[in-house]
Amino acid sequence: MSNMMRDSQIMAQIKDENLGYMSDMALELAQMAEDTGLATLAYLFRMAALEASTANSELNEPDDLPHQITSH
């Protein structure tokens, strides 16, 4: 049982890092697009970065709550 809990925590941590990376990456691409004069593309990348960072903070919220075992 504790093994599954640990695995899901590790998965959440990996997902966290990936979303953080995606957010940073999208912002970098947005900057590059802006420099090249591609405003629309820059806008899309900024939206993607926002999406990734929002998803990231939503993942982190349940940690503040008492841990309840839910069946998936």
Side-chain angles (χ1 to χ4, degrees):
M1 194 62 183
S2 61
N3 205 16
M4 270 175 56
M5 291 286 286
R6 195 194 66 216
D7 285 352
S8 67
Q9 275 182 325
I10 291 170
M11 288 305 292
Q13 195 178 332
I14 291 169
K15 201 181 279 186
D16 256 20
E17 287 166 14
N18 287 347
L19 284 168
Y21 172 75
M22 278 166 53
S23 182
D24 294 346
M25 202 60 189
L27 285 175
E28 268 181 53
L29 290 167
Q31 190 57 57
M32 285 165 65
E34 241 164 46
D35 295 344
T36 329
L38 301 170
T40 310
L41 197 58
Y43 173 77
L44 290 174
F45 281 129
R46 288 195 191 286
M47 288 298 103
L50 186 64
E51 193 70 39
S53 60
T54 304
N56 203 5
S57 60
E58 279 171 11
L59 269 184
N60 291 333
E61 276 171 18
D63 284 347
D64 301 335
L65 303 169
H67 282 290
Q68 292 174 337
I69 298 168
T70 56
S71 57
H72 290 286

Short mmCIF file of all heavy atoms in Angstrom, two decimals:
data_model
loop_
_atom_site.label_atom_id
_atom_site.label_comp_id
_atom_site.label_asym_id
_atom_site.label_seq_id
_atom_site.Cartn_x
_atom_site.Cartn_y
_atom_site.Cartn_z
N MET A 1 0.83 -1.20 0.00
CA MET A 1 0.00 0.00 0.00
C MET A 1 0.87 1.25 0.00
O MET A 1 0.70 2.13 -0.82
CB MET A 1 -0.91 -0.01 1.25
CG MET A 1 -2.02 0.98 1.16
SD MET A 1 -3.11 0.58 -0.26
CE MET A 1 -4.23 1.92 -0.16
N SER A 2 1.83 1.30 0.92
CA SER A 2 2.70 2.49 0.99
C SER A 2 3.56 2.60 -0.26
O SER A 2 3.97 3.68 -0.65
CB SER A 2 3.60 2.41 2.22
OG SER A 2 4.42 1.27 2.14
N ASN A 3 3.79 1.46 -0.91
CA ASN A 3 4.56 1.44 -2.14
C ASN A 3 3.83 2.20 -3.25
O ASN A 3 4.44 2.99 -3.98
CB ASN A 3 4.81 -0.01 -2.57
CG ASN A 3 6.05 -0.14 -3.44
OD1 ASN A 3 6.87 0.78 -3.48
ND2 ASN A 3 6.18 -1.26 -4.10
N MET A 4 2.52 1.99 -3.36
CA MET A 4 1.71 2.69 -4.36
C MET A 4 1.69 4.18 -4.09
O MET A 4 1.78 4.99 -5.00
CB MET A 4 0.27 2.16 -4.36
CG MET A 4 0.05 1.00 -5.31
SD MET A 4 -1.62 0.32 -5.16
CE MET A 4 -2.62 1.79 -5.44
N MET A 5 1.57 4.55 -2.82
CA MET A 5 1.55 5.96 -2.44
C MET A 5 2.86 6.62 -2.87
O MET A 5 2.86 7.70 -3.43
CB MET A 5 1.39 6.11 -0.92
CG MET A 5 0.03 5.70 -0.39
SD MET A 5 -1.26 6.91 -0.79
CE MET A 5 -0.83 8.20 0.37
N ARG A 6 3.96 5.93 -2.60
CA ARG A 6 5.27 6.48 -2.94
C ARG A 6 5.41 6.64 -4.46
O ARG A 6 5.87 7.66 -4.94
CB ARG A 6 6.39 5.59 -2.40
CG ARG A 6 7.74 6.30 -2.41
CD ARG A 6 8.87 5.32 -2.22
NE ARG A 6 8.97 4.41 -3.35
CZ ARG A 6 9.30 3.12 -3.28
NH1 ARG A 6 9.56 2.58 -2.12
NH2 ARG A 6 9.36 2.37 -4.36
N ASP A 7 4.96 5.64 -5.18
CA ASP A 7 5.02 5.69 -6.65
C ASP A 7 4.23 6.86 -7.20
O ASP A 7 4.69 7.57 -8.09
CB ASP A 7 4.51 4.39 -7.27
CG ASP A 7 5.53 3.26 -7.12
OD1 ASP A 7 6.65 3.54 -6.67
OD2 ASP A 7 5.19 2.12 -7.45
N SER A 8 3.03 7.08 -6.66
CA SER A 8 2.20 8.17 -7.17
C SER A 8 2.82 9.52 -6.81
O SER A 8 2.68 10.48 -7.56
CB SER A 8 0.77 8.06 -6.66
OG SER A 8 0.72 8.28 -5.28
N GLN A 9 3.50 9.59 -5.68
CA GLN A 9 4.19 10.83 -5.31
C GLN A 9 5.33 11.11 -6.27
O GLN A 9 5.54 12.24 -6.69
CB GLN A 9 4.73 10.76 -3.88
CG GLN A 9 3.71 11.14 -2.84
CD GLN A 9 4.29 11.10 -1.44
OE1 GLN A 9 5.14 10.26 -1.13
NE2 GLN A 9 3.84 11.99 -0.59
N ILE A 10 6.07 10.06 -6.62
CA ILE A 10 7.18 10.20 -7.57
C ILE A 10 6.65 10.64 -8.93
O ILE A 10 7.19 11.54 -9.55
CB ILE A 10 7.98 8.88 -7.69
CG1 ILE A 10 8.74 8.61 -6.38
CG2 ILE A 10 8.95 8.94 -8.86
CD1 ILE A 10 9.36 7.24 -6.28
N MET A 11 5.54 10.03 -9.36
CA MET A 11 4.93 10.40 -10.63
C MET A 11 4.49 11.85 -10.63
O MET A 11 4.70 12.58 -11.58
CB MET A 11 3.73 9.50 -10.94
CG MET A 11 4.10 8.08 -11.33
SD MET A 11 5.26 7.99 -12.72
CE MET A 11 4.20 8.58 -14.04
N ALA A 12 3.89 12.30 -9.52
CA ALA A 12 3.44 13.69 -9.40
C ALA A 12 4.64 14.63 -9.47
O ALA A 12 4.57 15.68 -10.10
CB ALA A 12 2.69 13.89 -8.09
N GLN A 13 5.73 14.22 -8.86
CA GLN A 13 6.95 15.04 -8.87
C GLN A 13 7.51 15.15 -10.28
O GLN A 13 7.88 16.24 -10.72
CB GLN A 13 7.99 14.41 -7.94
CG GLN A 13 9.12 15.35 -7.59
CD GLN A 13 10.09 14.69 -6.62
OE1 GLN A 13 9.72 13.82 -5.84
NE2 GLN A 13 11.34 15.09 -6.68
N ILE A 14 7.52 14.03 -11.01
CA ILE A 14 8.02 14.04 -12.39
C ILE A 14 7.11 14.92 -13.26
O ILE A 14 7.59 15.72 -14.04
CB ILE A 14 8.09 12.61 -12.96
CG1 ILE A 14 9.21 11.82 -12.25
CG2 ILE A 14 8.33 12.62 -14.47
CD1 ILE A 14 9.22 10.34 -12.54
N LYS A 15 5.80 14.78 -13.07
CA LYS A 15 4.84 15.57 -13.84
C LYS A 15 5.06 17.06 -13.54
O LYS A 15 5.02 17.89 -14.43
CB LYS A 15 3.42 15.15 -13.47
CG LYS A 15 2.40 15.51 -14.53
CD LYS A 15 1.00 15.09 -14.12
CE LYS A 15 0.73 13.62 -14.39
NZ LYS A 15 -0.68 13.26 -14.12
N ASP A 16 5.29 17.37 -12.27
CA ASP A 16 5.61 18.73 -11.83
C ASP A 16 6.77 19.31 -12.61
O ASP A 16 6.69 20.40 -13.14
CB ASP A 16 6.08 18.67 -10.36
CG ASP A 16 5.01 19.14 -9.42
OD1 ASP A 16 3.84 19.14 -9.82
OD2 ASP A 16 5.35 19.50 -8.30
N GLU A 17 7.87 18.55 -12.63
CA GLU A 17 9.09 19.00 -13.29
C GLU A 17 8.86 19.18 -14.78
O GLU A 17 9.34 20.14 -15.38
CB GLU A 17 10.24 18.02 -13.03
CG GLU A 17 10.75 18.12 -11.60
CD GLU A 17 11.64 16.95 -11.22
OE1 GLU A 17 12.08 16.20 -12.12
OE2 GLU A 17 11.88 16.76 -10.01
N ASN A 18 8.11 18.24 -15.39
CA ASN A 18 7.82 18.34 -16.81
C ASN A 18 7.00 19.58 -17.14
O ASN A 18 7.28 20.28 -18.11
CB ASN A 18 7.08 17.09 -17.30
CG ASN A 18 8.01 15.89 -17.39
OD1 ASN A 18 9.22 16.02 -17.31
ND2 ASN A 18 7.44 14.72 -17.54
N LEU A 19 5.99 19.86 -16.32
CA LEU A 19 5.14 21.04 -16.55
C LEU A 19 5.94 22.32 -16.37
O LEU A 19 5.79 23.27 -17.13
CB LEU A 19 3.93 21.02 -15.63
CG LEU A 19 2.83 20.04 -16.04
CD1 LEU A 19 1.81 19.87 -14.92
CD2 LEU A 19 2.13 20.51 -17.30
N GLY A 20 6.80 22.32 -15.37
CA GLY A 20 7.65 23.49 -15.14
C GLY A 20 8.56 23.70 -16.34
O GLY A 20 8.73 24.84 -16.81
N TYR A 21 9.11 22.63 -16.85
CA TYR A 21 10.00 22.67 -18.01
C TYR A 21 9.24 23.14 -19.24
O TYR A 21 9.72 23.98 -20.00
CB TYR A 21 10.59 21.27 -18.25
CG TYR A 21 11.38 21.15 -19.53
CD1 TYR A 21 12.66 21.72 -19.62
CD2 TYR A 21 10.86 20.50 -20.64
CE1 TYR A 21 13.38 21.61 -20.80
CE2 TYR A 21 11.58 20.40 -21.81
CZ TYR A 21 12.84 20.95 -21.89
OH TYR A 21 13.56 20.86 -23.05
N MET A 22 8.02 22.61 -19.44
CA MET A 22 7.20 23.01 -20.58
C MET A 22 6.88 24.49 -20.52
O MET A 22 6.91 25.19 -21.54
CB MET A 22 5.88 22.21 -20.59
CG MET A 22 6.02 20.84 -21.20
SD MET A 22 4.60 19.78 -20.84
CE MET A 22 3.22 20.80 -21.37
N SER A 23 6.57 24.97 -19.34
CA SER A 23 6.25 26.38 -19.15
C SER A 23 7.45 27.26 -19.52
O SER A 23 7.31 28.22 -20.27
CB SER A 23 5.86 26.62 -17.69
OG SER A 23 5.51 27.96 -17.51
N ASP A 24 8.62 26.90 -19.02
CA ASP A 24 9.85 27.65 -19.33
C ASP A 24 10.15 27.62 -20.81
O ASP A 24 10.49 28.62 -21.42
CB ASP A 24 11.05 27.07 -18.57
CG ASP A 24 10.93 27.25 -17.06
OD1 ASP A 24 10.06 28.06 -16.64
OD2 ASP A 24 11.68 26.60 -16.33
N MET A 25 10.00 26.43 -21.39
CA MET A 25 10.28 26.23 -22.81
C MET A 25 9.35 27.09 -23.67
O MET A 25 9.79 27.75 -24.60
CB MET A 25 10.08 24.74 -23.14
CG MET A 25 10.80 24.29 -24.36
SD MET A 25 12.58 24.55 -24.17
CE MET A 25 13.07 24.20 -25.84
N ALA A 26 8.07 27.08 -23.34
CA ALA A 26 7.07 27.84 -24.09
C ALA A 26 7.38 29.33 -24.01
O ALA A 26 7.25 30.06 -25.00
CB ALA A 26 5.67 27.56 -23.57
N LEU A 27 7.83 29.80 -22.84
CA LEU A 27 8.18 31.22 -22.70
C LEU A 27 9.40 31.57 -23.55
O LEU A 27 9.45 32.64 -24.16
CB LEU A 27 8.45 31.57 -21.23
CG LEU A 27 7.20 31.69 -20.35
CD1 LEU A 27 7.59 31.91 -18.90
CD2 LEU A 27 6.30 32.83 -20.84
N GLU A 28 10.36 30.65 -23.59
CA GLU A 28 11.54 30.87 -24.43
C GLU A 28 11.14 30.95 -25.91
O GLU A 28 11.60 31.81 -26.65
CB GLU A 28 12.55 29.73 -24.26
CG GLU A 28 13.59 30.00 -23.19
CD GLU A 28 14.57 28.85 -23.06
OE1 GLU A 28 15.16 28.45 -24.09
OE2 GLU A 28 14.74 28.36 -21.93
N LEU A 29 10.28 30.04 -26.33
CA LEU A 29 9.81 30.02 -27.72
C LEU A 29 9.02 31.29 -28.03
O LEU A 29 9.13 31.85 -29.12
CB LEU A 29 8.95 28.78 -27.97
CG LEU A 29 9.72 27.46 -27.99
CD1 LEU A 29 8.77 26.28 -27.93
CD2 LEU A 29 10.61 27.36 -29.23
N ALA A 30 8.23 31.74 -27.06
CA ALA A 30 7.46 32.97 -27.25
C ALA A 30 8.40 34.14 -27.49
O ALA A 30 8.17 34.97 -28.38
CB ALA A 30 6.60 33.25 -26.01
N GLN A 31 9.49 34.18 -26.72
CA GLN A 31 10.47 35.26 -26.87
C GLN A 31 11.13 35.20 -28.25
O GLN A 31 11.27 36.22 -28.92
CB GLN A 31 11.54 35.15 -25.76
CG GLN A 31 12.46 36.35 -25.69
CD GLN A 31 11.70 37.67 -25.49
OE1 GLN A 31 10.96 37.83 -24.54
NE2 GLN A 31 11.88 38.61 -26.41
N MET A 32 11.48 34.00 -28.68
CA MET A 32 12.10 33.82 -30.00
C MET A 32 11.14 34.24 -31.11
O MET A 32 11.53 34.92 -32.05
CB MET A 32 12.53 32.36 -30.20
CG MET A 32 13.77 31.99 -29.41
SD MET A 32 14.03 30.19 -29.29
CE MET A 32 14.32 29.77 -31.01
N ALA A 33 9.88 33.85 -30.97
CA ALA A 33 8.87 34.20 -31.96
C ALA A 33 8.69 35.72 -32.04
O ALA A 33 8.58 36.29 -33.12
CB ALA A 33 7.54 33.53 -31.63
N GLU A 34 8.71 36.36 -30.87
CA GLU A 34 8.57 37.81 -30.81
C GLU A 34 9.75 38.49 -31.51
O GLU A 34 9.57 39.44 -32.28
CB GLU A 34 8.51 38.28 -29.36
CG GLU A 34 7.23 38.98 -29.01
CD GLU A 34 7.03 39.08 -27.51
OE1 GLU A 34 7.99 39.45 -26.79
OE2 GLU A 34 5.91 38.81 -27.05
N ASP A 35 10.93 37.99 -31.25
CA ASP A 35 12.15 38.55 -31.86
C ASP A 35 12.11 38.42 -33.38
O ASP A 35 12.67 39.24 -34.09
CB ASP A 35 13.41 37.86 -31.32
CG ASP A 35 13.60 38.11 -29.83
OD1 ASP A 35 12.95 39.05 -29.30
OD2 ASP A 35 14.39 37.39 -29.21
N THR A 36 11.44 37.38 -33.87
CA THR A 36 11.36 37.13 -35.31
C THR A 36 10.17 37.86 -35.92
O THR A 36 9.91 37.77 -37.11
CB THR A 36 11.22 35.61 -35.59
OG1 THR A 36 11.88 34.89 -34.57
CG2 THR A 36 11.86 35.25 -36.91
N GLY A 37 9.40 38.55 -35.07
CA GLY A 37 8.25 39.30 -35.56
C GLY A 37 7.00 38.45 -35.75
O GLY A 37 6.10 38.82 -36.49
N LEU A 38 6.96 37.31 -35.09
CA LEU A 38 5.79 36.43 -35.19
C LEU A 38 4.92 36.60 -33.95
O LEU A 38 4.92 35.77 -33.05
CB LEU A 38 6.24 34.97 -35.34
CG LEU A 38 7.12 34.66 -36.55
CD1 LEU A 38 7.68 33.26 -36.45
CD2 LEU A 38 6.34 34.82 -37.85
N ALA A 39 4.20 37.69 -33.90
CA ALA A 39 3.41 38.05 -32.72
C ALA A 39 2.34 37.00 -32.38
O ALA A 39 2.15 36.67 -31.21
CB ALA A 39 2.76 39.41 -32.91
N THR A 40 1.68 36.49 -33.40
CA THR A 40 0.62 35.50 -33.15
C THR A 40 1.18 34.23 -32.53
O THR A 40 0.64 33.70 -31.57
CB THR A 40 -0.10 35.13 -34.47
OG1 THR A 40 -0.48 36.34 -35.13
CG2 THR A 40 -1.33 34.30 -34.20
N LEU A 41 2.30 33.79 -33.08
CA LEU A 41 2.96 32.59 -32.56
C LEU A 41 3.43 32.84 -31.12
O LEU A 41 3.25 32.00 -30.24
CB LEU A 41 4.15 32.22 -33.46
CG LEU A 41 4.70 30.82 -33.30
CD1 LEU A 41 3.61 29.77 -33.56
CD2 LEU A 41 5.85 30.60 -34.25
N ALA A 42 3.99 34.01 -30.88
CA ALA A 42 4.44 34.38 -29.54
C ALA A 42 3.27 34.31 -28.56
O ALA A 42 3.41 33.79 -27.46
CB ALA A 42 5.04 35.78 -29.55
N TYR A 43 2.14 34.83 -28.99
CA TYR A 43 0.93 34.81 -28.16
C TYR A 43 0.52 33.37 -27.82
O TYR A 43 0.23 33.07 -26.66
CB TYR A 43 -0.20 35.53 -28.89
CG TYR A 43 -1.54 35.42 -28.20
CD1 TYR A 43 -1.83 36.18 -27.07
CD2 TYR A 43 -2.51 34.53 -28.66
CE1 TYR A 43 -3.05 36.08 -26.44
CE2 TYR A 43 -3.73 34.41 -28.04
CZ TYR A 43 -4.01 35.18 -26.91
OH TYR A 43 -5.21 35.06 -26.29
N LEU A 44 0.54 32.49 -28.83
CA LEU A 44 0.17 31.10 -28.62
C LEU A 44 1.11 30.42 -27.63
O LEU A 44 0.68 29.66 -26.76
CB LEU A 44 0.16 30.34 -29.95
CG LEU A 44 -0.97 30.71 -30.91
CD1 LEU A 44 -0.78 30.00 -32.24
CD2 LEU A 44 -2.33 30.35 -30.32
N PHE A 45 2.40 30.69 -27.76
CA PHE A 45 3.37 30.09 -26.84
C PHE A 45 3.17 30.61 -25.42
O PHE A 45 3.31 29.87 -24.45
CB PHE A 45 4.81 30.35 -27.29
CG PHE A 45 5.25 29.43 -28.40
CD1 PHE A 45 5.81 29.95 -29.56
CD2 PHE A 45 5.12 28.07 -28.27
CE1 PHE A 45 6.23 29.10 -30.59
CE2 PHE A 45 5.54 27.20 -29.29
CZ PHE A 45 6.09 27.73 -30.45
N ARG A 46 2.82 31.89 -25.29
CA ARG A 46 2.55 32.44 -23.96
C ARG A 46 1.34 31.78 -23.33
O ARG A 46 1.33 31.49 -22.13
CB ARG A 46 2.35 33.96 -24.02
CG ARG A 46 3.64 34.68 -24.28
CD ARG A 46 3.59 36.15 -24.02
NE ARG A 46 4.79 36.80 -24.53
CZ ARG A 46 5.99 36.70 -23.97
NH1 ARG A 46 6.14 36.01 -22.86
NH2 ARG A 46 7.03 37.30 -24.51
N MET A 47 0.33 31.52 -24.15
CA MET A 47 -0.87 30.81 -23.66
C MET A 47 -0.49 29.40 -23.20
O MET A 47 -0.96 28.94 -22.16
CB MET A 47 -1.94 30.72 -24.76
CG MET A 47 -2.63 32.02 -25.08
SD MET A 47 -3.53 32.70 -23.67
CE MET A 47 -2.43 34.01 -23.13
N ALA A 48 0.36 28.74 -23.97
CA ALA A 48 0.81 27.38 -23.61
C ALA A 48 1.58 27.40 -22.30
O ALA A 48 1.41 26.53 -21.45
CB ALA A 48 1.68 26.81 -24.73
N ALA A 49 2.43 28.41 -22.13
CA ALA A 49 3.21 28.55 -20.89
C ALA A 49 2.28 28.76 -19.71
O ALA A 49 2.44 28.16 -18.65
CB ALA A 49 4.18 29.71 -21.01
N LEU A 50 1.28 29.60 -19.91
CA LEU A 50 0.30 29.87 -18.86
C LEU A 50 -0.46 28.61 -18.49
O LEU A 50 -0.64 28.29 -17.32
CB LEU A 50 -0.67 30.96 -19.34
CG LEU A 50 -1.67 31.49 -18.33
CD1 LEU A 50 -0.94 32.20 -17.19
CD2 LEU A 50 -2.65 32.43 -18.99
N GLU A 51 -0.85 27.87 -19.51
CA GLU A 51 -1.58 26.60 -19.33
C GLU A 51 -0.75 25.62 -18.50
O GLU A 51 -1.24 25.01 -17.56
CB GLU A 51 -1.89 26.01 -20.70
CG GLU A 51 -2.90 24.89 -20.68
CD GLU A 51 -4.30 25.37 -20.35
OE1 GLU A 51 -4.70 26.44 -20.83
OE2 GLU A 51 -4.99 24.64 -19.62
N ALA A 52 0.52 25.49 -18.86
CA ALA A 52 1.41 24.56 -18.16
C ALA A 52 1.62 24.98 -16.72
O ALA A 52 1.59 24.15 -15.82
CB ALA A 52 2.75 24.47 -18.89
N SER A 53 1.81 26.28 -16.47
CA SER A 53 2.05 26.72 -15.10
C SER A 53 0.77 26.63 -14.26
O SER A 53 0.83 26.36 -13.07
CB SER A 53 2.64 28.13 -15.06
OG SER A 53 1.75 29.05 -15.66
N THR A 54 -0.38 26.81 -14.89
CA THR A 54 -1.66 26.66 -14.18
C THR A 54 -1.86 25.21 -13.79
O THR A 54 -2.21 24.92 -12.65
CB THR A 54 -2.84 27.13 -15.05
OG1 THR A 54 -2.59 28.48 -15.46
CG2 THR A 54 -4.14 27.09 -14.29
N ALA A 55 -1.61 24.31 -14.73
CA ALA A 55 -1.74 22.87 -14.45
C ALA A 55 -0.78 22.48 -13.34
O ALA A 55 -1.11 21.68 -12.48
CB ALA A 55 -1.46 22.07 -15.71
N ASN A 56 0.39 23.07 -13.35
CA ASN A 56 1.41 22.78 -12.36
C ASN A 56 0.94 23.19 -10.97
O ASN A 56 1.06 22.42 -10.03
CB ASN A 56 2.70 23.54 -12.72
CG ASN A 56 3.94 22.91 -12.11
OD1 ASN A 56 3.84 21.84 -11.49
ND2 ASN A 56 5.06 23.53 -12.28
N SER A 57 0.38 24.37 -10.82
CA SER A 57 -0.07 24.81 -9.50
C SER A 57 -1.29 24.03 -9.03
O SER A 57 -1.46 23.80 -7.84
CB SER A 57 -0.36 26.32 -9.49
OG SER A 57 -1.36 26.63 -10.42
N GLU A 58 -2.14 23.58 -9.97
CA GLU A 58 -3.29 22.76 -9.60
C GLU A 58 -2.83 21.41 -9.06
O GLU A 58 -3.44 20.87 -8.15
CB GLU A 58 -4.21 22.55 -10.80
CG GLU A 58 -5.14 23.73 -11.04
CD GLU A 58 -5.90 23.62 -12.34
OE1 GLU A 58 -5.87 22.54 -12.97
OE2 GLU A 58 -6.52 24.63 -12.73
N LEU A 59 -1.75 20.88 -9.62
CA LEU A 59 -1.21 19.61 -9.14
C LEU A 59 -0.67 19.75 -7.73
O LEU A 59 -0.74 18.84 -6.93
CB LEU A 59 -0.05 19.15 -10.04
CG LEU A 59 -0.37 18.26 -11.23
CD1 LEU A 59 0.92 17.87 -11.91
CD2 LEU A 59 -1.13 17.02 -10.79
N ASN A 60 -0.11 20.90 -7.42
CA ASN A 60 0.52 21.10 -6.12
C ASN A 60 -0.48 21.35 -5.01
O ASN A 60 -0.17 21.11 -3.86
CB ASN A 60 1.52 22.26 -6.19
CG ASN A 60 2.72 21.92 -7.04
OD1 ASN A 60 3.07 20.76 -7.16
ND2 ASN A 60 3.35 22.92 -7.63
N GLU A 61 -1.66 21.82 -5.32
CA GLU A 61 -2.65 22.15 -4.31
C GLU A 61 -3.06 20.98 -3.41
O GLU A 61 -3.12 21.16 -2.21
CB GLU A 61 -3.89 22.79 -4.93
CG GLU A 61 -3.71 24.27 -5.14
CD GLU A 61 -4.83 24.89 -5.96
OE1 GLU A 61 -5.90 24.27 -6.07
OE2 GLU A 61 -4.62 25.99 -6.48
N PRO A 62 -3.34 19.79 -3.98
CA PRO A 62 -3.81 18.69 -3.12
C PRO A 62 -2.84 18.34 -1.99
O PRO A 62 -3.26 17.76 -0.99
CB PRO A 62 -3.95 17.51 -4.08
CG PRO A 62 -4.18 18.14 -5.40
CD PRO A 62 -3.37 19.41 -5.38
N ASP A 63 -1.58 18.70 -2.11
CA ASP A 63 -0.61 18.39 -1.05
C ASP A 63 -0.93 19.13 0.24
O ASP A 63 -0.52 18.71 1.32
CB ASP A 63 0.82 18.72 -1.51
CG ASP A 63 1.36 17.66 -2.46
OD1 ASP A 63 0.73 16.60 -2.57
OD2 ASP A 63 2.39 17.90 -3.08
N ASP A 64 -1.64 20.26 0.16
CA ASP A 64 -2.00 21.01 1.36
C ASP A 64 -3.13 20.31 2.12
O ASP A 64 -3.28 20.48 3.32
CB ASP A 64 -2.45 22.43 0.99
CG ASP A 64 -1.35 23.18 0.25
OD1 ASP A 64 -0.17 22.81 0.43
OD2 ASP A 64 -1.66 24.11 -0.51
N LEU A 65 -3.92 19.53 1.39
CA LEU A 65 -5.05 18.83 2.01
C LEU A 65 -4.56 17.55 2.69
O LEU A 65 -3.53 17.01 2.31
CB LEU A 65 -6.08 18.47 0.93
CG LEU A 65 -6.64 19.61 0.10
CD1 LEU A 65 -7.44 19.06 -1.08
CD2 LEU A 65 -7.51 20.53 0.93
N PRO A 66 -5.31 17.08 3.68
CA PRO A 66 -4.94 15.79 4.28
C PRO A 66 -5.03 14.70 3.23
O PRO A 66 -5.95 14.71 2.42
CB PRO A 66 -5.98 15.58 5.38
CG PRO A 66 -7.06 16.56 5.11
CD PRO A 66 -6.45 17.69 4.34
N HIS A 67 -4.07 13.80 3.23
CA HIS A 67 -4.03 12.76 2.21
C HIS A 67 -5.15 11.75 2.41
O HIS A 67 -5.29 11.17 3.47
CB HIS A 67 -2.67 12.03 2.23
CG HIS A 67 -1.59 12.81 1.57
ND1 HIS A 67 -1.54 13.04 0.22
CD2 HIS A 67 -0.52 13.45 2.10
CE1 HIS A 67 -0.49 13.78 -0.05
NE2 HIS A 67 0.14 14.04 1.06
N GLN A 68 -5.94 11.61 1.38
CA GLN A 68 -7.00 10.61 1.40
C GLN A 68 -6.73 9.61 0.30
O GLN A 68 -6.30 10.00 -0.77
CB GLN A 68 -8.36 11.26 1.20
CG GLN A 68 -8.78 12.14 2.38
CD GLN A 68 -10.07 12.88 2.08
OE1 GLN A 68 -10.43 13.08 0.93
NE2 GLN A 68 -10.77 13.27 3.12
N ILE A 69 -6.97 8.36 0.60
CA ILE A 69 -6.72 7.33 -0.41
C ILE A 69 -7.93 7.26 -1.31
O ILE A 69 -9.05 6.99 -0.88
CB ILE A 69 -6.46 5.96 0.25
CG1 ILE A 69 -5.21 6.04 1.12
CG2 ILE A 69 -6.29 4.88 -0.82
CD1 ILE A 69 -5.02 4.86 2.02
N THR A 70 -7.72 7.58 -2.58
CA THR A 70 -8.81 7.52 -3.55
C THR A 70 -8.53 6.42 -4.54
O THR A 70 -7.37 6.20 -4.91
CB THR A 70 -8.97 8.86 -4.31
OG1 THR A 70 -7.71 9.19 -4.90
CG2 THR A 70 -9.39 9.97 -3.38
N SER A 71 -9.55 5.72 -4.96
CA SER A 71 -9.37 4.68 -5.97
C SER A 71 -9.52 5.29 -7.34
O SER A 71 -10.49 5.99 -7.61
CB SER A 71 -10.38 3.56 -5.76
OG SER A 71 -11.68 4.08 -5.78
N HIS A 72 -8.56 5.06 -8.20
CA HIS A 72 -8.60 5.63 -9.55
C HIS A 72 -9.19 4.63 -10.52
O HIS A 72 -8.80 3.50 -10.56
CB HIS A 72 -7.19 6.01 -10.01
CG HIS A 72 -6.67 7.19 -9.25
ND1 HIS A 72 -7.14 8.47 -9.47
CD2 HIS A 72 -5.74 7.29 -8.30
CE1 HIS A 72 -6.51 9.29 -8.66
NE2 HIS A 72 -5.65 8.61 -7.95
#
